[in-house]
Amino acid sequence: MNYLKMTAVAFALTLTVAMTTQSCSSTMMNQDNTVMVGGAAMYPTKNIVENAVNSKDHTTLVAAVKAAGLVETLQSAGPFTVFAPTNAAFGKLPAGTVGTLVMPENKATLTNILTYHVVPGRISSADLSKWIMKNNGMYMAKTVQGEELTFWMKGKDMYVKDTKGNSARITIADVNQSNGVIHVIDTVLMP
């Protein structure tokens, strides 16, 4: 009788461990494959534009990318690292700024601002962290626009600063795309 009880307990434990391992593996696989941004799954098999259009938090950015004529570029092979301001980040700008920027006559200015949020290559938060530590607490990266962004850390939070001294916190890092990576930020950067 004791042998049967021990076998039943051993079987139950084995089953529990197997189910837990499978559950953890599924969770990890899901975390590896998708990140939720703006209420939508961002799939690493899709490109930057294909994912961004689904984020409720990035409707202003998507409209700006369309107005600047950058959709085709951000759908190309890249790779690109995009620091993507949320709608709330655009909301911090003076009233009327976004409406003015998306006007056809301001396309060059809008393109200048948007390409300032893009760094060539696929740069993870682990890369940035390593480079920040290696460079005495700061790291500078040249953007597609041509000017630099400065990165630093405060505790576990990573920040990026523009040439005008505005700082943005990376709120969601490492949103992998087929043609690069997106890091969500809470402030619009200005060249």
Side-chain angles (χ1 to χ4, degrees):
M1 197 80 112
N2 284 339
Y3 176 74
L4 287 175
K5 284 183 182 177
M6 286 177 33
T7 303
V9 169
F11 177 74
L13 284 172
T14 302
L15 185 60
T16 301
V17 168
M19 289 172 58
T20 302
T21 302
Q22 184 178 6
S23 174
C24 288
S25 294
S26 295
T27 300
M28 287 174 62
M29 187 168 65
N30 188 33
Q31 289 174 349
D32 288 344
N33 290 332
T34 61
V35 175
M36 297 299 287
V37 176
M42 301 289 116
Y43 298 100
T45 56
K46 292 185 176 184
N47 67 47
I48 291 166
V49 174
E50 290 172 328
N51 275 319
V53 297
N54 294 317
S55 170
K56 293 177 193 166
D57 292 344
H58 291 90
T59 56
T60 304
L61 178 61
V62 169
V65 166
K66 288 177 181 177
L70 294 173
V71 170
E72 222 175 277
T73 302
L74 291 174
Q75 288 181 323
S76 70
F80 306 105
T81 299
V82 177
F83 297 92
T86 61
N87 294 341
F90 280 101
K92 292 179 183 178
L93 295 173
T97 301
V98 175
T100 300
L101 285 172
V102 296
M103 295 172 79
E105 59 268 23
N106 296 320
K107 183 177 178 179
T109 302
L110 180 61
T111 301
N112 194 43
I113 292 168
L114 293 175
T115 56
Y116 188 60
H117 288 79
V118 181
V119 175
R122 180 185 295 267
I123 303 170
S124 70
S125 62
D127 293 332
L128 286 171
S129 180
K130 181 176 62 176
W131 298 334
I132 289 167
M133 298 305 234
K134 198 177 201 181
N135 290 290
N136 299 316
M138 292 215 164
Y139 175 72
M140 295 178 81
K142 190 171 186 176
T143 67
V144 170
Q145 180 264 356
E147 295 181 46
E148 293 183 327
L149 294 171
T150 303
F151 299 87
W152 81 97
M153 294 183 73
K154 183 177 179 184
K156 292 183 180 184
D157 291 330
M158 189 170 298
Y159 292 85
V160 56
K161 182 169 60 173
D162 63 25
T163 57
K164 300 207 180 321
N166 301 307
S167 293
R169 184 172 64 89
I170 296 175
T171 58
I172 303 174
D174 302 319
V175 184
N176 290 309
Q177 317 288 301
S178 64
N179 62 343
V181 62
I182 292 174
H183 301 289
V184 178
I185 57 174
D186 65 358
T187 304
V188 176
L189 303 166
M190 293 292 184

